[in-house]
Amino acid sequence: DVKVTQSSRYLVKRTGEKVFLECVQDMDHENMFWYRQDPGLGLRLIYFSYDVKMKEKGDIPEGYSVSREKKERFSLILESASTNQTSMYLCASSLGSPSYEQYFGPGTRLTVT
Amino acid sequence: DQQVKQNSPSLSVQEGRISILNCDYTNSMFDYFLWYKKYPAEGPTFLISISSIKDKNEDGRFTVFLNKSAKHLSLHIVPSQPGDSAVYFCAASARSGGSNYKLTFGKGTLLTVNP
């Protein structure tokens, strides 16, 4: 079974703090993704990576950056956390062609106060 | 511009009856479609998928139907069970468009199955 783990289930940070969310997958998947989920807005893609050190902006990259130094690990960075970044953050990975299914981690509920 | 639309935010059905969740898309480049189920405080889990070369795919109690001309797909759950109560997300991919790793998700439909 594919396993995607996220470093924290719940996180509380203060406005202006730098926040790191870590994601690790154990299936040698090429592609990794960061989403945020908000009520009524569904899953919105923040950033994705299709290879080590490669990244592309998703639909809502503003206020975020990412790092992928190793194939199994994909980090999401909030450079200066703001209250509107309070959300559920979901990491996913996928093998790519021919399998397009993405496998998700359990999520991190981030609260910025 | 919302490319994948789930117009029903919620759906309530009785246990044992059929649940039908609908999804519409606007991007004609989409050629692969997936359904995910999400319980509260958990990540989404993959449920079933369909390629645009098919119009139906079945897996146990779950069947997905695709109508390409209408740009519409639906997920049927028969019979519905209380454990099916969750948020269901429709997702689409444009494999031939070079973004074969990216999924576009709808906003989700909360299904409640009443005992």
Side-chain angles (χ1 to χ4, degrees), chain A residues 9 31 33 35 37 40-43 45 48 50 56 59 90 100-102 104-106, chain B residues 32 34 36 38 41-44 46 49 89 93 95 100-103 105-108:
Chain A
R9 293 300 302 270
N31 309 311
F33 309 83
Y35 295 88
Q37 183 198 2
L41 297 178
L43 294 169
L45 182 64
F48 61 98
Y50 51 89
E56 280 197 29
D59 301 317
L90 293 159
Y100 302 92
E101 292 82 9
Q102 292 183 14
F104 285 82
Chain B
Y32 192 76
L34 307 90
Y36 281 81
K38 185 182 184 300
E42 293 184 14
F46 169 71
S49 62
F89 290 101
S93 175
R95 293 180 301 177
N100 60 5
Y101 36 74
K102 185 178 172 185
L103 298 179
F105 285 84
K107 293 185 177 182

Side-chain angles (χ1 to χ4, degrees), chain B residues 61-76:
Chain B
R61 296 186 297 115
F62 302 92
T63 303
V64 56
F65 295 93
L66 175 62
N67 182 333
K68 282 197 304 181
S69 61
K71 293 190 175 68
H72 177 83
L73 63 154
S74 60
L75 174 68
H76 292 211

Side-chain angles (χ1 to χ4, degrees), chain A residues 11-17 19 78 80-87 89 110-113:
Chain A
L11 209 52
V12 180
K13 295 292 182 181
R14 292 192 180 276
T15 302
E17 278 192 81
V19 181
L78 288 66
S80 177
S82 63
T83 54
N84 63 11
Q85 292 179 309
T86 291
S87 185
Y89 289 88
L110 173 67
T111 302
V112 182
T113 61

Side-chain angles (χ1 to χ4, degrees), chain A residues 2 9 13 62 65 71 74 103:
Chain A
V2 176
R9 293 300 302 270
K13 295 292 182 181
E62 297 78 18
S65 62
K71 192 174 186 180
F74 192 35
Y103 297 86

Side-chain angles (χ1 to χ4, degrees), chain A residues 3-53:
Chain A
K3 192 163 185 183
V4 180
T5 57
Q6 295 184 228
S7 51
S8 305
R9 293 300 302 270
Y10 300 93
L11 209 52
V12 180
K13 295 292 182 181
R14 292 192 180 276
T15 302
E17 278 192 81
K18 191 169 186 176
V19 181
F20 292 87
L21 302 182
E22 304 286 338
C23 175
V24 177
Q25 51 96 0
D26 66 357
M27 283 301 291
D28 202 35
H29 281 177
E30 300 292 331
N31 309 311
M32 297 188 75
F33 309 83
W34 276 106
Y35 295 88
R36 60 179 284 177
Q37 183 198 2
D38 301 288
L41 297 178
L43 294 169
R44 294 183 292 167
L45 182 64
I46 304 171
Y47 266 98
F48 61 98
S49 168
Y50 51 89
D51 201 351
V52 175
K53 296 191 186 294

Side-chain angles (χ1 to χ4, degrees), chain B residues 12-79:
Chain B
S12 183
V13 300
Q14 285 299 121
E15 181 178 5
R17 308 295 285 268
I18 184 171
S19 295
I20 300 177
L21 296 102
N22 293 303
C23 179
D24 297 292
Y25 62 96
T26 58
N27 187 342
S28 58
M29 296 297 292
F30 287 149
D31 56 6
Y32 192 76
F33 304 89
L34 307 90
W35 284 94
Y36 281 81
K37 179 167 82 171
K38 185 182 184 300
Y39 293 118
E42 293 184 14
T45 54
F46 169 71
L47 202 54
I48 192 169
S49 62
I50 188 167
S51 164
S52 60
I53 62 173
K54 295 184 174 182
D55 55 16
K56 176 182 175 181
N57 189 26
E58 196 171 352
D59 183 2
R61 296 186 297 115
F62 302 92
T63 303
V64 56
F65 295 93
L66 175 62
N67 182 333
K68 282 197 304 181
S69 61
K71 293 190 175 68
H72 177 83
L73 63 154
S74 60
L75 174 68
H76 292 211
I77 306 174
V78 184

